[in-house]
Amino acid sequence: MAGRDNGFGKYQLQLLRTDLEKHLEKPLKKGDNWFLIDMTWYKQLRGYLGMEGIFDRNMSEHPGPVDNRSLFKYDGSDIREHMIDEMDYILLPEEAWKLLVDRFGIQNGQE
């Protein structure tokens, strides 16, 4: 359990999980900003936060900064084509994106 702390106490992790789950319930509406996040990173986050459906012990480690490199073409010039929702990425409302970037940061060279 010590590996899960990393500056957050158990209570802070519960608050983060609750806030994230609240934001994820937001319906997609025209005019809202939504963000793609790499599914591998997101699964690591869910394991770290103890969210349901994650049973892999390796997934309970701190996920590190948001890393969306796998969503971009090799040269980083543009987003990859033919990605599949909830397989390659998850779509997050702006509030959830800001929450995660504020808490975990973002990999250098990404916005």
Side-chain angles (χ1 to χ4, degrees):
M1 193 70 170
R4 298 179 91 177
D5 190 10
N6 198 16
F8 294 104
K10 186 176 181 180
Y11 180 70
Q12 286 85 9
L13 288 176
Q14 290 173 340
L15 287 176
L16 178 59
R17 181 177 61 231
T18 301
D19 286 348
L20 180 60
E21 288 172 339
K22 177 185 74 173
H23 293 311
L24 292 174
E25 292 175 5
K26 180 180 179 177
L28 182 62
K29 291 189 305 187
K30 185 176 180 177
D32 286 350
N33 291 320
W34 287 68
F35 294 77
L36 301 179
I37 199 161
D38 176 73
M39 186 54 105
T40 302
W41 187 90
Y42 183 70
K43 284 181 180 179
Q44 186 74 34
L45 170 74
R46 288 177 55 89
Y48 177 67
L49 295 178
M51 296 169 84
E52 73 283 350
I54 302 294
F55 302 105
D56 185 345
R57 292 184 71 192
N58 294 326
M59 297 300 274
S60 65
E61 295 298 317
H62 190 283
V66 175
D67 185 357
N68 281 335
R69 285 179 290 185
S70 69
L71 302 181
F72 290 89
K73 293 180 180 177
Y74 180 72
D75 63 2
S77 65
D78 204 358
I79 196 164
R80 285 184 15 230
E81 297 176 13
H82 310 296
M83 291 191 295
I84 300 170
D85 184 24
E86 296 189 12
M87 179 184 242
D88 297 306
Y89 66 90
I90 185 164
L91 198 56
L92 297 177
E94 185 172 17
E95 299 84 359
W97 170 259
K98 287 181 177 181
L99 176 69
L100 295 178
V101 170
D102 286 348
R103 295 292 178 119
F104 297 100
I106 190 163
Q107 194 71 9
N108 288 338
Q110 299 180 26
E111 295 180 27

PDB file of all heavy atoms in Angstrom, residues 20-31:
ATOM      1  N   LEU A  20     -13.254  12.030 -10.184  1.00  0.00           N
ATOM      2  CA  LEU A  20     -13.118  11.507 -11.539  1.00  0.00           C
ATOM      3  C   LEU A  20     -14.389  10.786 -11.977  1.00  0.00           C
ATOM      4  O   LEU A  20     -14.894  11.010 -13.084  1.00  0.00           O
ATOM      5  CB  LEU A  20     -11.916  10.562 -11.626  1.00  0.00           C
ATOM      6  CG  LEU A  20     -11.651   9.948 -12.995  1.00  0.00           C
ATOM      7  CD1 LEU A  20     -11.401  11.022 -14.040  1.00  0.00           C
ATOM      8  CD2 LEU A  20     -10.491   8.970 -12.916  1.00  0.00           C
ATOM      9  N   GLU A  21     -14.923   9.936 -11.114  1.00  0.00           N
ATOM     10  CA  GLU A  21     -16.146   9.204 -11.448  1.00  0.00           C
ATOM     11  C   GLU A  21     -17.300  10.164 -11.721  1.00  0.00           C
ATOM     12  O   GLU A  21     -18.093   9.939 -12.639  1.00  0.00           O
ATOM     13  CB  GLU A  21     -16.497   8.213 -10.342  1.00  0.00           C
ATOM     14  CG  GLU A  21     -15.553   7.030 -10.313  1.00  0.00           C
ATOM     15  CD  GLU A  21     -15.752   6.112  -9.112  1.00  0.00           C
ATOM     16  OE1 GLU A  21     -16.330   6.569  -8.096  1.00  0.00           O
ATOM     17  OE2 GLU A  21     -15.325   4.955  -9.201  1.00  0.00           O
ATOM     18  N   LYS A  22     -17.384  11.255 -10.954  1.00  0.00           N
ATOM     19  CA  LYS A  22     -18.434  12.258 -11.166  1.00  0.00           C
ATOM     20  C   LYS A  22     -18.284  12.881 -12.554  1.00  0.00           C
ATOM     21  O   LYS A  22     -19.270  13.009 -13.291  1.00  0.00           O
ATOM     22  CB  LYS A  22     -18.353  13.334 -10.086  1.00  0.00           C
ATOM     23  CG  LYS A  22     -19.352  14.465 -10.255  1.00  0.00           C
ATOM     24  CD  LYS A  22     -19.147  15.549  -9.233  1.00  0.00           C
ATOM     25  CE  LYS A  22     -17.900  16.317  -9.624  1.00  0.00           C
ATOM     26  NZ  LYS A  22     -17.609  17.502  -8.861  1.00  0.00           N
ATOM     27  N   HIS A  23     -17.064  13.234 -12.934  1.00  0.00           N
ATOM     28  CA  HIS A  23     -16.827  13.850 -14.240  1.00  0.00           C
ATOM     29  C   HIS A  23     -17.104  12.873 -15.381  1.00  0.00           C
ATOM     30  O   HIS A  23     -17.563  13.276 -16.450  1.00  0.00           O
ATOM     31  CB  HIS A  23     -15.401  14.374 -14.350  1.00  0.00           C
ATOM     32  CG  HIS A  23     -15.104  15.521 -13.437  1.00  0.00           C
ATOM     33  ND1 HIS A  23     -15.924  16.634 -13.322  1.00  0.00           N
ATOM     34  CD2 HIS A  23     -14.082  15.738 -12.585  1.00  0.00           C
ATOM     35  CE1 HIS A  23     -15.409  17.482 -12.453  1.00  0.00           C
ATOM     36  NE2 HIS A  23     -14.292  16.957 -11.986  1.00  0.00           N
ATOM     37  N   LEU A  24     -16.823  11.599 -15.165  1.00  0.00           N
ATOM     38  CA  LEU A  24     -17.020  10.604 -16.218  1.00  0.00           C
ATOM     39  C   LEU A  24     -18.498  10.348 -16.510  1.00  0.00           C
ATOM     40  O   LEU A  24     -18.834   9.805 -17.565  1.00  0.00           O
ATOM     41  CB  LEU A  24     -16.325   9.294 -15.856  1.00  0.00           C
ATOM     42  CG  LEU A  24     -14.798   9.351 -15.838  1.00  0.00           C
ATOM     43  CD1 LEU A  24     -14.225   8.038 -15.336  1.00  0.00           C
ATOM     44  CD2 LEU A  24     -14.240   9.710 -17.200  1.00  0.00           C
ATOM     45  N   GLU A  25     -19.375  10.734 -15.604  1.00  0.00           N
ATOM     46  CA  GLU A  25     -20.816  10.570 -15.811  1.00  0.00           C
ATOM     47  C   GLU A  25     -21.386  11.649 -16.726  1.00  0.00           C
ATOM     48  O   GLU A  25     -22.520  11.530 -17.191  1.00  0.00           O
ATOM     49  CB  GLU A  25     -21.545  10.605 -14.464  1.00  0.00           C
ATOM     50  CG  GLU A  25     -21.248   9.420 -13.598  1.00  0.00           C
ATOM     51  CD  GLU A  25     -21.882   9.525 -12.226  1.00  0.00           C
ATOM     52  OE1 GLU A  25     -22.650  10.504 -11.979  1.00  0.00           O
ATOM     53  OE2 GLU A  25     -21.617   8.658 -11.394  1.00  0.00           O
ATOM     54  N   LYS A  26     -20.610  12.675 -17.008  1.00  0.00           N
ATOM     55  CA  LYS A  26     -21.084  13.782 -17.823  1.00  0.00           C
ATOM     56  C   LYS A  26     -21.397  13.295 -19.236  1.00  0.00           C
ATOM     57  O   LYS A  26     -20.578  12.648 -19.874  1.00  0.00           O
ATOM     58  CB  LYS A  26     -20.021  14.883 -17.882  1.00  0.00           C
ATOM     59  CG  LYS A  26     -20.426  16.067 -18.705  1.00  0.00           C
ATOM     60  CD  LYS A  26     -19.351  17.130 -18.723  1.00  0.00           C
ATOM     61  CE  LYS A  26     -19.794  18.297 -19.601  1.00  0.00           C
ATOM     62  NZ  LYS A  26     -18.805  19.371 -19.593  1.00  0.00           N
ATOM     63  N   PRO A  27     -22.582  13.627 -19.737  1.00  0.00           N
ATOM     64  CA  PRO A  27     -22.913  13.226 -21.110  1.00  0.00           C
ATOM     65  C   PRO A  27     -22.210  14.125 -22.130  1.00  0.00           C
ATOM     66  O   PRO A  27     -21.957  15.301 -21.868  1.00  0.00           O
ATOM     67  CB  PRO A  27     -24.434  13.411 -21.173  1.00  0.00           C
ATOM     68  CG  PRO A  27     -24.741  14.425 -20.135  1.00  0.00           C
ATOM     69  CD  PRO A  27     -23.694  14.262 -19.057  1.00  0.00           C
ATOM     70  N   LEU A  28     -21.904  13.558 -23.270  1.00  0.00           N
ATOM     71  CA  LEU A  28     -21.285  14.298 -24.368  1.00  0.00           C
ATOM     72  C   LEU A  28     -22.318  15.242 -24.972  1.00  0.00           C
ATOM     73  O   LEU A  28     -23.406  14.812 -25.347  1.00  0.00           O
ATOM     74  CB  LEU A  28     -20.790  13.310 -25.428  1.00  0.00           C
ATOM     75  CG  LEU A  28     -20.073  13.872 -26.640  1.00  0.00           C
ATOM     76  CD1 LEU A  28     -18.803  14.603 -26.231  1.00  0.00           C
ATOM     77  CD2 LEU A  28     -19.726  12.739 -27.605  1.00  0.00           C
ATOM     78  N   LYS A  29     -21.985  16.544 -24.983  1.00  0.00           N
ATOM     79  CA  LYS A  29     -22.896  17.540 -25.531  1.00  0.00           C
ATOM     80  C   LYS A  29     -22.159  18.402 -26.551  1.00  0.00           C
ATOM     81  O   LYS A  29     -20.965  18.690 -26.395  1.00  0.00           O
ATOM     82  CB  LYS A  29     -23.453  18.447 -24.426  1.00  0.00           C
ATOM     83  CG  LYS A  29     -24.394  17.745 -23.479  1.00  0.00           C
ATOM     84  CD  LYS A  29     -25.095  18.704 -22.538  1.00  0.00           C
ATOM     85  CE  LYS A  29     -24.130  19.554 -21.762  1.00  0.00           C
ATOM     86  NZ  LYS A  29     -24.737  20.371 -20.732  1.00  0.00           N
ATOM     87  N   LYS A  30     -22.881  18.815 -27.578  1.00  0.00           N
ATOM     88  CA  LYS A  30     -22.326  19.674 -28.613  1.00  0.00           C
ATOM     89  C   LYS A  30     -21.769  20.945 -27.974  1.00  0.00           C
ATOM     90  O   LYS A  30     -22.411  21.548 -27.115  1.00  0.00           O
ATOM     91  CB  LYS A  30     -23.406  20.027 -29.633  1.00  0.00           C
ATOM     92  CG  LYS A  30     -22.902  20.822 -30.801  1.00  0.00           C
ATOM     93  CD  LYS A  30     -23.998  21.059 -31.814  1.00  0.00           C
ATOM     94  CE  LYS A  30     -23.460  21.860 -32.976  1.00  0.00           C
ATOM     95  NZ  LYS A  30     -24.475  22.045 -34.017  1.00  0.00           N
ATOM     96  N   GLY A  31     -20.556  21.312 -28.375  1.00  0.00           N
ATOM     97  CA  GLY A  31     -19.914  22.515 -27.865  1.00  0.00           C
ATOM     98  C   GLY A  31     -18.974  22.278 -26.694  1.00  0.00           C
ATOM     99  O   GLY A  31     -18.178  23.142 -26.364  1.00  0.00           O
TER     100      GLY A  31
END
